[in-house]
Amino acid sequence: MNKIELKKFIEKNKIENKEAEAVIDLVASNRLRELWNKEKELTGITQKEKAAQMGFSQAYFANFIGGKRTISLKSLIRFAEAFGCNCSDIVQEIKDK
């Protein structure tokens, strides 16, 4: 889901900006945690190593995975690339609600 699609979704569903950000952050952090846990199990990579591959500090990476940080579109794209998926795969659950 790119920035334009996301804006259309928010407008279509009459979601207020702050509410939309909270929903997106919650869904994204849950999905990122799932993707991270799967990759960690398969490869044994550490959070610090994955964060370094993405150009993030370990703390910055952990804050996204833990839902403690608002995710920007730029960071969402970096996570999608790092996990080999599309942005829409990370925020897919929003469409289902």
Side-chain angles (χ1 to χ4, degrees):
M1 180 178 293
N2 64 34
K3 195 172 186 177
I4 294 170
E5 291 171 331
L6 189 56
K7 283 183 180 181
K8 285 180 183 178
F9 173 82
I10 290 167
E11 289 170 7
K12 178 182 172 188
N13 292 286
K14 298 181 175 96
I15 299 173
E16 296 296 320
N17 284 340
K18 290 187 186 238
E19 181 185 28
E21 288 175 11
V23 169
I24 291 165
D25 288 339
L26 177 62
V27 170
S29 69
N30 287 339
R31 182 66 178 134
L32 289 173
R33 192 169 29 260
E34 289 172 10
L35 291 167
W36 163 242
N37 287 334
K38 183 179 177 181
E39 182 163 334
K40 183 174 57 172
E41 269 184 40
L42 291 173
T43 65
I45 192 169
T46 67
Q47 226 180 50
K48 186 175 182 176
E49 292 167 334
K50 188 65 176 179
Q53 287 176 358
M54 296 174 63
F56 292 150
S57 70
Q58 185 275 328
Y60 194 73
F61 180 90
N63 284 335
F64 282 123
I65 300 296
K68 296 176 184 171
R69 182 168 199 88
T70 299
I71 192 161
S72 68
L73 182 59
K74 185 176 179 179
S75 293
L76 182 62
I77 291 167
R78 286 169 76 180
F79 271 102
E81 290 171 350
F83 289 120
C85 62
N86 296 313
C87 291
S88 60
D89 296 330
I90 296 173
V91 293
Q92 182 65 40
E93 293 176 38
I94 293 172
K95 291 180 181 178
D96 300 335
K97 293 189 180 203

